[in-house]
Amino acid sequence: MPQTTARLLTGGVRSLGTVSRLTPMTFLAAARHSGPLLTAAGPRAAAQMILEAYERVPAYRQFLDARGGLPPRRHGPSAAQWVATVPTTSKSSYIDAYPMIERCWDGRLPARGVEIDESAGSSGEPYQWVRSTDELHEVHRTLELLAGYLLDHGPRADPARRLVTINAFSMGAWATGTNVSAALKRKGVLKSCGPDVPKILSVLTLFGPGPRYVLCGYPPFLETVAEAARVAGIDLAGYDITGFVGGEGMSEGLRDRLLHHYTHVWSAYGASDLDIGVAAETPLSVWLRRAAHGDAELAQALFGSTARVPMCFQYDPATYHLETVDGPHGTEIAATVLRPTLSPRLRYTVGDAGGIVPLGRALALASHHGHTPADEDGVDPAWGRPLDLPVLYVHGRADSTVSYMGANLYPEDVGAGIDDARGAAADVGVVPGAYCLELVDEDDPRPCVHVELEQTSDDADLGAATDVLVGAIRDRLARNSSDYRAALAEDPRAARLEVRLHEVGTGPFAGSSTRIKRRYVVADPALRVREEPTLEELLPPTHRATLTAALRAPSAHNAQPWRLTWLRSDDEGPVDPDAPQTYALRYDHRDYLPYDPDDRDAYLCMGALAETLALAAVRNGLEAQVTAVFERDDAVLDVARITLSPRRGDVDAATRRLATQAADRHTNRSDYTREPLPPTLVAQLEALGCALVDPTRIADLCTRASELSWRDRRFVADLRRWISFDRNAPSGMTPHGLMLSAYETPALRAAFAIGRLPKPLGRLYASRDTHLVRSAPAVAVLGAASLDPADLFEAGRRLLRAWTVVCGSGHATHPVSIAVDRPETAPGVAALSGIPVPAAVFRVGRPTKPAPRSNRVRLADVLSVSPG
């Protein structure tokens, strides 16, 4: 499909979605009549979104380039078939691997109109999710309209009565709690109290049974409220309360119990790292699920399984293109968000097992098995025409992660808890082996960990072993997950955890006794073994994120000469995320810049990487201890040891601000305005060892240095090695990144062909840098104590801080250190700046246009491991 047509189609899909959210009437009209049309257009809209993101989202371009690049578009395959060839993204492969800013459009985070949501991860350090106020407005409007459909239609609906909403979801930075409040406050009276039972009962008492109520919370918590109301003498049968639940699945048995107290109970599907309110239960989806719950053949036909009927929802194909993909643990759901977002999600998987069924096919299958919505136990006619939207069914996390009371219980955390208990378990005569995690008892669900006993002594105390494991797993979950800690504080039911012990090869481990490798996580119901993790996957997630962010450090010619070696103290398997880990920073002189014989640029960039890493550690809840080494083994220089460990104390506001700004540090080679620098910025640069010099005077030195360099074959050879005409090259510079003009690129090719430029051409090529320097409002010279490696390394750390401060103030930097690269001009720079040992020169100013981001190598390309 031509690009123009694809953009028009995408715009049409977005426009229809916007129009549908104007009023409740347009919302219902679109949902009841446009579903098949929008479903058919979804793959084309997703394809266009992927193409745009590849051009404009730096992290996504790097992600795809590291996996072979964007698949070619050919005639023949449909848009859906092409989209299916694009690699999927996930939290581990994309979110952990690239800085937040790099995942935003054009690699920029707006200065205003941004909100940050938070969720806990298996690392124990919360994840931060950025959303613009515009996209949150759309989310809130959609939730409001959907709530209006479920509240203002159907049996017993009375839209004229006052609506009182009690939001009992966890509040704070958690996405669901805050956004439910924002969406429903326009429907009537809102009380956001979190899961505080006394406050909820006080609201019911205050308003009495006259109004309609909405109670939002986790499914088991609604049962807790009903029991507390009974004890308090409040008869909920006299109230009209609709339950909106989320955060975990809900069995039909639990729904039936809740319907003894509540008029309706509706659930929704979403994820903090994907989107809020991706899909929701409707009268039709609930009827379909309940029909399958009582008919195993229908369940098999619809969902491919009869073991447990999944949750059923409907979703808007104008907003989400959903598909199924083969994940490491089976079939998973992948989502592409089609509406504008600050940080796009493209074929993103949260690891949920499930599938998509067109509504027509779902109804046909139900009819074939003797079920229709018009049956006596079907959909009440008061709901009107059903929403003609696709059906999404969700079994739960494919990797056995369990959602309970609003917290994700990760297998990694369970395994760490089991490891914590090994010593105590051995004391009572057992050695735990494999394990799996599931929710047991559909009617009263609670998490259960099955543990296979590798060894059992004759006098083993299995009861004591169970208690030990329960305590250790619960402690580890509480330590690693802020969501789980919040759930424990808010509701005692969150502490329910069961451990069941099994002899080798029994229970869920049947058929596995012949395996040689005994420690693995099995997924229920089918036995699967995790693939051997990569070196990156063995890193603690916060370390992986920190090291990946550090690779955004600057280096001469973007050569990225650094190499990192993980000095492991143990030999295999994941490591304790709380244990300090040390990494060696090294580089190979032969693999860098022959034109940098004294290694000045090399030491500077190594210091810049160390500082970038240290600031990234702050963002990830770590502290970095950097110890200089400077030992050479042949051509390999061992630069430093960097130890990462959990942060123990507070970080001062200035460092935290600098760490945040460092995520968006970048070079801009465009023209700058002549607006003078703010005095506060000048003072900050001077405090970091910079001297500001007259741009017109240093421009003459840059011109002479540039002319001399272009006549020097070593300089041109360096450039030939590190400049690529392939925009996707992971290292080095490109004409696109250098922002070269139409005539400058051919001149560069000519210089590479002949090995140097004659003086007239050299002067012509140098005129670009001369113009940029002369027209800048300021040029800074940063000094070093000496040219010794340790002093240049320290100067590199200050240089990174200086560039970060500049970018954080809304200005930009552009290195023009060619004047200190040449021995003929370096003394002139020293005399002009008053700095005896100038180490770097750079322009400072407010850019006139955004700059493209340079590519970076992957962490896997520079990371190795050796015994510590």
Side-chain angles (χ1 to χ4, degrees), residues 25-224:
M25 185 177 297
T26 58
F27 173 77
L28 284 180
R32 285 170 170 165
H33 302 285
S34 303
L37 173 64
L38 293 173
T39 302
R44 295 181 175 88
Q48 181 59 31
M49 184 70 76
I50 289 169
L51 292 171
E52 290 181 10
Y54 183 72
E55 290 297 321
R56 294 180 50 202
V57 180
Y60 192 60
R61 172 181 282 273
Q62 294 177 52
F63 171 82
L64 288 184
D65 288 347
R67 290 156 178 80
L70 194 67
R73 296 292 302 273
R74 298 187 178 93
H75 294 293
S78 66
Q81 291 172 322
W82 181 81
V83 168
T85 65
V86 177
T88 58
T89 58
S90 66
K91 187 180 287 185
S92 61
S93 68
Y94 188 63
I95 302 299
D96 288 344
Y98 300 96
M100 176 184 68
I101 305 294
E102 298 283 312
R103 303 194 306 267
C104 295
W105 291 101
D106 301 315
R108 300 192 66 81
L109 188 68
R112 57 183 61 87
V114 177
E115 293 189 22
I116 300 178
D117 293 327
E118 183 177 293
S119 68
S122 60
S123 67
E125 188 70 18
Y127 281 90
Q128 310 296 331
W129 312 106
V130 292
R131 293 181 171 92
S132 69
T133 51
D134 288 341
E135 69 180 275
L136 284 174
H137 173 76
E138 288 199 31
V139 169
H140 299 160
R141 180 59 175 160
T142 301
L143 293 176
E144 178 189 4
L145 290 167
L146 182 60
Y149 166 63
L150 296 174
L151 293 169
D152 298 341
H153 297 77
R156 296 182 59 181
D158 185 2
R161 292 165 60 200
R162 181 199 301 270
L163 179 67
V164 177
T165 298
I166 305 172
N167 185 3
F169 283 120
S170 294
M171 304 307 294
W174 192 54
T176 300
T178 54
N179 287 292
V180 165
S181 289
L184 296 183
K185 66 183 179 182
R186 292 178 287 192
K187 295 291 294 179
V189 178
L190 171 69
K191 173 68 173 180
S192 294
C193 59
D196 189 320
V197 174
K199 289 183 179 179
I200 293 169
L201 298 184
S202 70
V203 175
L204 296 176
T205 303
L206 175 66
F207 288 97
R212 299 176 296 156
Y213 289 88
V214 170
L215 178 59
C216 306
Y218 315 115
F221 183 74
L222 265 65
E223 198 168 27
T224 300

Side-chain angles (χ1 to χ4, degrees), residues 351-396:
D352 282 334
I356 300 101
V357 183
L359 182 63
R361 173 168 171 75
L363 293 177
L365 288 171
S367 176
H368 178 72
H369 289 83
H371 306 273
T372 68
D375 293 341
E376 183 177 348
D377 59 349
V379 179
D380 194 301
W383 290 105
R385 179 174 178 143
L387 307 187
D388 194 3
L389 300 174
V391 174
L392 168 70
Y393 63 89
V394 181
H395 288 286

Side-chain angles (χ1 to χ4, degrees), residues 598-599 603-604 628 630 632 637 639 786-796:
D598 58 2
D599 286 337
Y603 297 133
L604 286 174
F630 298 110
R632 187 181 294 277
L637 179 68
V639 178
S786 74
L787 291 178
D788 290 340
D791 289 333
L792 287 172
F793 181 78
E794 185 275 335

Side-chain angles (χ1 to χ4, degrees), residues 6 29 69 80 107 144 172 211 228 235 252 411 431 536 589 593 646 669 743 794 820:
E144 178 189 4
D235 183 9
E252 289 307 311
V431 177
E536 287 179 86
H589 172 83
L593 301 174
R669 294 178 171 85
Y743 81 86
E794 185 275 335
V820 294

Side-chain angles (χ1 to χ4, degrees), residues 136 141 153 162 268 327 347 409 412 427 450 500 503 513 526 539 553 658 693 759:
L136 284 174
R141 180 59 175 160
H153 297 77
R162 181 199 301 270
R347 301 203 79 214
L409 313 186
E412 294 88 346
D427 290 341
H450 298 273
R500 298 179 184 176
E503 295 298 325
S513 58
L539 290 169
L658 193 70
V693 299
K759 185 174 182 178

Side-chain angles (χ1 to χ4, degrees), residues 54 68 89 147 150 242 277 281 284 367 407 451 495 505 538 565 585 626 649 745:
Y54 183 72
T89 58
L150 296 174
T242 294
E281 283 189 328
L284 187 62
S367 176
V451 179
L538 290 175
T565 302
L585 173 61
V626 181
T745 300

